[in-house]
Amino acid sequence: MFQAKPITFQLESSQVAFATSYLQGIAFNHYTALLQFDPNNPVLSNWLAFTQEFLSKFGIFDTVAEAEENLFNLQMHNNKCFMTFIIQFEQEAYKTVWDYNALHFALCRALPQRIKDVLRLAPKQTTYNEYKALVTQVNQCYWEDHSKNMAPWTLWNTSGNTNWQAGATNSI
């Protein structure tokens, strides 16, 4: 961010001020206490001092372990699009030191059953990127089919027909 706007963030105090706008909870309370009781503290104007102070007190001590735990707990919900999920998945994956085989296993485990069922019928993919491409295709087909099947319901539901709300059935 700072390199993208070198004039705006030319001073380290500007960098610190920007970063503090994202503080919450106990970290924000610590910052406001420093402002109030120690306004000349270098943490408030020096980027290196600020990052050292806040990372040592509030930072994640083992980012790899946290990313691994996040990947283990990550699940793609049945009503979500794969592209949204894979961005979140790979954001955590890049923080680990896992190889593609481990990522392939974690990704497979995190997928909803509707995708796993189709993948059982597909040829086995040998690489993580091939697997990801296949899952993308399966998911895209699912949503295309889903939107086609929902179209009549959507038209019927939005055409002013309120019988469905009263529990009545359409009689033709």
Side-chain angles (χ1 to χ4, degrees), residues 73-155:
N73 292 323
L74 196 60
Q75 290 291 310
M76 180 179 160
H77 297 287
N78 206 32
N79 63 343
K80 297 297 179 193
C81 179
F82 178 69
M83 292 314 296
T84 304
F85 172 77
I86 197 65
I87 290 168
Q88 185 181 10
F89 180 88
E90 288 185 340
Q91 185 177 11
E92 295 298 333
Y94 293 142
K95 298 174 191 172
T96 69
V97 291
W98 291 3
D99 63 11
Y100 283 126
N101 290 329
L103 291 176
H104 180 274
F105 176 79
L107 178 57
C108 182
R109 191 194 57 72
L111 294 174
Q113 196 61 45
R114 68 173 170 83
I115 292 178
K116 291 178 186 178
D117 290 344
V118 175
L119 291 177
R120 283 191 193 106
L121 304 173
K124 184 172 172 44
Q125 303 302 305
T126 57
T127 70
Y128 172 74
N129 286 331
E130 288 174 353
Y131 186 74
K132 211 169 53 168
L134 180 60
V135 173
T136 302
Q137 285 181 320
V138 168
N139 188 68
Q140 184 177 358
C141 289
Y142 170 82
W143 286 111
E144 286 173 2
D145 186 53
H146 183 72
S147 67
K148 287 177 190 172
N149 290 335
M150 289 301 290
W153 163 252
T154 305
L155 290 174

Side-chain angles (χ1 to χ4, degrees), residues 19-36:
T20 59
S21 69
Y22 287 94
L23 295 177
Q24 297 177 354
I26 192 83
F28 179 76
N29 294 344
H30 178 62
Y31 171 72
T32 55
L34 287 173
L35 277 176
Q36 185 175 7

Side-chain angles (χ1 to χ4, degrees), residues 60-79:
I60 300 164
F61 293 106
D62 191 346
T63 56
V64 172
E66 184 189 43
E68 289 173 348
E69 182 178 349
N70 290 344
L71 276 179
F72 181 76
N73 292 323
L74 196 60
Q75 290 291 310
M76 180 179 160
H77 297 287
N78 206 32
N79 63 343

